[in-house]
Amino acid sequence: MGVARGPHPVSRPASALAGIALVTVAVACFATLDTTTKWTSASVPLLMALWVRYLFQASVTTAAMLPLRGMALLRTAHPRFQCLRGVLLLTSSLLSFLSLKHMPVGEFTAIVMITPLVITLVAALLGDRVSALRWMLVVGGFVGTLIIIRPGGDTFRWATLLPLGLVATNAWFQVLTSRLAKTEDPFTMHFYTGWIGTVVASIAVPFFWVPIHDWRLWGGMLLMGLMATVGHFLLILAYARTPAATLTPFLYGQIGFAMLGGWLVFSHVPDQWATLGILLVAVCGAAGAWLTVRESRISVQPAES
């Protein structure tokens, strides 16, 4: 039996570098989205800003993808799960907006980045085997989160618990996404996510609508939609080129971009304890990603005959 030829020696590194570059730009977009959200939410009702963000994403996605895919873009074998996924992401977005209204961008981002560690817990609940090292990383990530939040400390407010609700909804969103991605077109998933969020937000937004006369606030809301749309598209392109295990460590670059945005726009620098917690979350998250890469490489090693 012949031996299959491997990829060209340059193609795999080039593909990996392209995926890493796309993810880096994507997380910069997400950090810009969060920074703009915090600035806008000081003057605009949250549901109004959320509606503009989703309407922009849904409209741009439809305009870009419908001419390319036609009616195939709407085909899905799991409409109920598409709806559930859209509601989960909308809930995550609402919790994100509420959290950013009360928290610095860098600390908020660090807490949200424990989501991959929480997915480990979800996997364990679903019956997957979780190694002792992974459990240690999960504990380390939660310790880092507690250092950032510091319950009982002078800086603690109940609003700082909101990102934990976001982490929970986002973890289930990611698990559902990974299951649907095995059979569903990622652009179809992106299409339904945008429109489900838009439809649900449209029901509520009339009760929260206020006239906005400052063009900068409209510009901020449109920038939120643009950054969300571009960021998600870049992630789709990145995962199409490079394995998720390779890209995951670079997602933690969002913490750095978020801290930079918080400093540039709000002149906020995390204190020593918050910095320690942020570093602990980043190290545990990156180590978990490295462990995933290592396990995936071991799993594809050919067995000796």
Side-chain angles (χ1 to χ4, degrees), residues 112-237:
V112 172
M113 292 307 292
I114 69 169
T115 300
L117 300 175
V118 174
I119 291 175
T120 300
L121 295 178
V122 175
L125 292 174
L126 295 176
D128 292 353
R129 182 179 177 277
V130 178
S131 67
L133 179 56
R134 281 197 181 276
W135 282 117
M136 291 175 60
L137 295 175
V138 169
V139 172
F142 279 110
V143 170
T145 302
L146 288 176
I147 292 174
I148 297 171
I149 296 175
R150 275 168 282 177
D154 295 336
T155 61
F156 175 75
R157 291 181 296 174
W158 285 107
T160 58
L161 297 178
L162 288 171
L164 296 179
L166 165 59
V167 167
T169 56
N170 195 28
W172 283 107
F173 170 80
Q174 298 291 349
V175 170
L176 183 57
T177 298
S178 66
R179 300 293 174 94
L180 285 176
K182 295 176 181 178
T183 57
E184 299 283 302
D185 185 340
F187 289 104
T188 296
M189 294 166 63
H190 194 50
F191 171 84
Y192 279 110
T193 297
W195 279 113
I196 290 168
T198 301
V199 170
V200 175
S202 296
I203 297 172
V205 74
F207 300 100
F208 297 90
W209 189 271
V210 296
I212 302 294
H213 304 292
D214 189 342
W215 66 268
R216 293 174 300 175
L217 294 175
W218 282 107
M221 288 188 286
L222 292 176
L223 180 61
M224 289 161 54
L226 177 64
M227 290 297 99
T229 303
V230 173
H232 282 293
F233 269 129
L234 291 177
L235 274 185
I236 290 172
L237 294 176

Side-chain angles (χ1 to χ4, degrees), residues 70-137:
M71 297 306 294
L73 182 67
L74 281 65
R75 293 188 191 128
T76 175
H78 304 285
R80 289 182 296 178
F81 288 138
Q82 294 284 9
C83 290
L84 176 59
R85 184 174 175 273
V87 171
L88 283 172
L89 186 60
L90 180 65
T91 304
S92 297
S93 298
L94 180 59
L95 289 171
S96 173
F97 281 29
L98 287 170
S99 301
L100 286 165
K101 190 175 179 68
H102 300 284
M103 287 189 66
V105 183
E107 285 87 329
F108 161 79
T109 303
I111 294 174
V112 172
M113 292 307 292
I114 69 169
T115 300
L117 300 175
V118 174
I119 291 175
T120 300
L121 295 178
V122 175
L125 292 174
L126 295 176
D128 292 353
R129 182 179 177 277
V130 178
S131 67
L133 179 56
R134 281 197 181 276
W135 282 117
M136 291 175 60
L137 295 175

